[in-house]
Amino acid sequence: ADPDPLQDFCVADLNATVSLNGFPCKPASEVTADDFFFDGLSKEGNTDNPFGFGVTQGNVLTFPGLNTLGLSMNRVDLARGGINAPHSHPRATESIVVIKGKVLVGFVSTSSVYYYKVLTVGQMFVVPRGLVHFQYNVGHGKATLITAFNSQLPGAVVVSRTLFASNPPLPVEILTKAFQVDASVINSIKSKFA
Ligand code: GLV
Ligand code: MN
């Protein structure tokens, strides 16, 4: 979904003071093979949290060599029973490959149809751009997935965090009216994200 590059590469200078759609390039004379290399996905993410979820992002911010190249990858680790909570990527379609374990993956279309599949090692699923999706470890041990995006910086809108943990918070009456529940229910959910 990103625009086409205008040169072979443009390794991001993340410290540049100019702000534009992407990042300026570090001088080509300073570019080495290391700029096209990223070791981050080799390590298991920390899943010691209430979701049993760890994500390691290989996007332009962690891997500046991706700048202008239109793609990125994450590693998602799930503890037994762990979940990557419902979220969407405003700038990318996502493909998912399971490399360990057994994972329920699903998304919901704009017509509110829920599409899902249980994947085992080597199997792939695709989540169309912008649609809300999740992954849930339904196997007996840990699970690991690699996700790939057609954007250097797909962005992630985590539904729960967006609605219940924004800064500043959304007015409670927006949420009581949206979900047709009492404020106590909203405040209970909010307290989990404090
Ligand atoms: C998984 O859904 C991811 O966004 O990496
Ligand atoms: Mn995703």
Side-chain angles (χ1 to χ4, degrees):
D2 290 3
D4 284 334
L6 302 177
Q7 60 267 299
D8 282 359
F9 55 79
C10 171
V11 175
D13 175 358
L14 298 177
N15 299 317
T17 50
V18 291
S19 162
L20 72 169
N21 190 20
F23 296 94
C25 317
K26 110 182 206 184
S29 60
E30 293 172 18
V31 170
T32 70
D34 283 337
D35 288 301
F36 303 109
F37 172 78
F38 180 63
D39 190 35
L41 304 192
S42 63
K43 297 167 207 83
E44 185 175 334
N46 179 12
T47 60
D48 188 14
N49 53 62
F51 303 98
F53 157 76
V55 63
T56 309
Q57 295 181 318
N59 62 34
V60 70
L61 299 178
T62 52
F63 183 6
L66 294 178
N67 193 41
T68 75
L69 300 184
L71 59 84
S72 57
M73 289 181 126
N74 289 348
R75 170 178 175 150
V76 176
D77 289 291
L78 298 170
R80 194 172 174 192
I83 188 180
N84 182 4
H87 65 278
S88 72
H89 304 289
R91 292 183 289 278
T93 289
E94 169 177 325
S95 61
I96 301 168
V97 181
V98 172
I99 60 169
K100 184 200 255 174
K102 191 172 165 192
V103 183
L104 168 65
V105 302
F107 68 85
V108 179
S109 73
T110 59
S111 315
S112 299
V113 180
Y114 168 42
Y115 297 93
Y116 62 96
K117 204 86 177 168
V118 173
L119 305 189
T120 54
V121 172
Q123 296 185 324
M124 187 170 169
F125 198 71
V126 66
V127 177
R129 179 162 123 185
L131 298 184
V132 172
H133 61 283
F134 66 86
Q135 294 115 19
Y136 178 38
N137 181 359
V138 293
H140 295 298
K142 296 181 193 177
T144 304
L145 314 95
I146 298 291
T147 53
F149 305 89
N150 62 338
S151 171
Q152 65 179 29
L153 192 63
V157 176
V158 182
V159 177
S160 47
R161 211 170 61 202
T162 298
L163 294 177
F164 296 100
S166 66
N167 181 24
L170 296 186
V172 172
E173 57 267 37
I174 298 293
L175 298 169
T176 56
K177 288 179 190 234
F179 289 96
Q180 298 287 298
V181 294
D182 295 336
S184 61
V185 176
I186 300 301
N187 289 326
S188 162
I189 298 173
K190 280 189 174 199
S191 70
K192 306 288 197 299
F193 292 90

